[in-house]
Amino acid sequence: MIIVVGIGADGTAGLSAASKSELQRAATIYGSKRQLELIDDTIAAPRLEWPSPMLPALQALPVDGPDIHIVASGDPLLHGIGGTLIRLFGAEKVRVMPHVSSVTLACARMGWNVQDTEVISLVTAEPHTAIRRGGQAIVLSRNHTTPKTLAAALDAYGRGDSEFTVLELLGGPDERRRDGTARTWAHDAGDDVDDLNVIAIRYLPDSRRASLPDDAFMHDGQITKHAIRAATLAALDPRPGGRLWDVGAGSGSIAVEWCRSALGCTAVAFELDERRRLNIGFNAAANGVSVEVRGAAPDEFAGAPHPSAIFVGGGLTRPGLLDACLEHLAAGGHLVANAVTVESEAVLAQQYSRLGGDLRRFQHYQGEPLGGFTGWRPQYPVTQWSVTKQ
């Protein structure tokens, strides 16, 4: 059995009687340098620091022998080692004894309800993945550089007014709190932040929407317009953890909306034009989502993580493109393609005749001033073919 004991910045003194008893009977205690140093002399067992990388050492643990004792930060099942061990060995071989988590402590200091607060880990993720258009979050830091790096990203993507609080050594005798805005932290913060810190953010301005307007994206006119984007997302039918290939991505608006639609959704965007690739990267970062940006399809398909759905918004007349997309799509996955030219429509009509699916046409009108009255200005009609791979 593996016993994982959570420990806080208050060290052995903050352990429950049960957790302390477990460590006192341990033959050896595994943990990181920081966590092992939190244990005082009332625990006599020898201590073994994890090597780097840690995963091979975890995989080699002799789980069928005597009990193995591990110390971990706070709640080991909150973005911690506990989940990794359960994934490796199964829940029946791992017992977790949690301490109060840094998230709970941070919410207590801020006066926030935990259930109203998003938890984001930047321990391994890139800073832009913690950017949001509103709400509040506790962000778990990688080290002392995370607050300033994240603050700079928030400021760069229009969230510099966000309330930004850095909480260090929570629960310990040297606990410290510093309040400000993302902008002030980006430009004026010092370098004396402890590695053990979390960040509490209230994102401002609060511009949360279920569906983003067109002007929320940086683009050069090559964008799937708002109403058609909504119909396209409905056809793609995103599910939690799904991965989209956005082919001929333009601004990447479909990829961004896909990633925002459900928990754990990611996307790969394929785009020939370098300037548009830069726009896609900006739009993804500004919305805190994970979009891998690649060059032209189908040349860049090789090595890309396999999709659960594919959207084709450009390049339909390129010979073999749709066939290459379908070849990479798993059974049960959706492919959706939009066309605005006669030539592209012909390709979709041919595929519909060959493979079935659904063929639709959308005509969108925009009300605009006409003298002293209002008239309807038609937008380009969009033909859409969608199919589920058998």
Side-chain angles (χ1 to χ4, degrees), residues 317-374:
T317 56
R318 186 168 184 178
L321 177 64
L322 278 179
D323 288 336
C325 289
L326 286 165
E327 181 182 338
H328 284 83
L329 189 63
H334 299 305
L335 184 144
V336 177
N338 290 355
V340 295
T341 68
V342 172
E343 292 79 6
S344 296
E345 280 188 340
V347 173
L348 297 188
Q350 183 181 34
Q351 293 288 349
Y352 174 69
S353 298
R354 186 168 70 93
L355 298 173
D358 295 301
L359 193 64
R360 304 181 180 91
R361 195 173 215 216
F362 302 102
Q363 178 65 71
H364 181 57
Y365 293 84
Q366 187 75 32
E368 294 185 0
L370 184 62
F373 299 92
T374 301

Side-chain angles (χ1 to χ4, degrees), residues 28 41 47 53 62 80 84 99 104 124 136 141 160 196 209 211 221 240 281 286 299 304 325 327-328 344:
T28 303
D41 293 339
R47 295 139 199 207
T84 303
H99 193 273
T104 298
T124 58
Q136 63 193 36
S141 293
L196 192 63
R209 301 183 182 187
S211 180
D299 307 342
C325 289
E327 181 182 338
H328 284 83
S344 296

Side-chain angles (χ1 to χ4, degrees), residues 31 113 117 155 257 274 288:
N113 287 323
T117 305
D155 192 34
E257 293 281 37
E274 182 179 1

Side-chain angles (χ1 to χ4, degrees), residues 89-272:
F89 302 111
E92 68 281 357
K93 293 188 176 182
V94 180
R95 182 156 65 97
V96 176
M97 304 180 71
H99 193 273
V100 179
S101 73
S102 59
V103 171
T104 298
L105 289 171
C107 284
R109 304 297 187 265
M110 299 300 297
W112 293 353
N113 287 323
V114 178
Q115 72 269 17
D116 298 330
T117 305
E118 185 180 2
V119 179
I120 306 170
S121 175
L122 292 185
V123 174
T124 58
E126 293 301 313
H128 79 266
T129 59
I131 295 175
R132 299 291 184 269
R133 288 182 167 268
Q136 63 193 36
I138 300 298
V139 179
L140 309 180
S141 293
R142 181 180 305 178
N143 55 36
H144 68 280
T145 68
T146 303
K148 190 175 183 69
T149 303
L150 175 56
L154 288 165
D155 192 34
Y157 293 107
R159 293 291 179 269
D161 290 333
S162 298
E163 297 170 7
F164 198 91
T165 298
V166 178
L167 300 154
E168 302 163 70
L169 298 164
L170 279 168
D174 298 320
E175 179 178 316
R176 179 165 64 169
R177 167 178 176 163
R178 284 182 276 183
D179 299 289
T181 66
R183 184 173 295 109
T184 58
W185 267 91
H187 299 288
D188 302 325
D191 297 323
D192 60 338
V193 178
D194 192 88
D195 280 333
L196 192 63
N197 74 84
V198 300
I199 309 160
I201 306 174
R202 195 184 299 278
Y203 295 96
L204 297 172
D206 192 331
S207 57
R208 286 172 288 180
R209 301 183 182 187
S211 180
L212 297 174
D214 294 342
D215 61 10
F217 297 95
M218 183 175 290
H219 63 91
D220 61 359
Q222 293 298 310
I223 183 172
T224 302
K225 299 299 191 294
H226 182 266
I228 303 302
R229 195 161 64 245
T232 301
L233 264 293
L236 285 167
D237 192 23
R239 310 287 177 89
R243 180 182 293 112
L244 176 74
W245 280 9
D246 187 353
V247 177
S251 67
S253 63
I254 294 291
V256 169
E257 293 281 37
W258 167 278
C259 292
R260 295 177 70 248
S261 67
L263 183 66
C265 281
T266 59
V268 182
F270 299 89
E271 173 56 51
L272 173 65

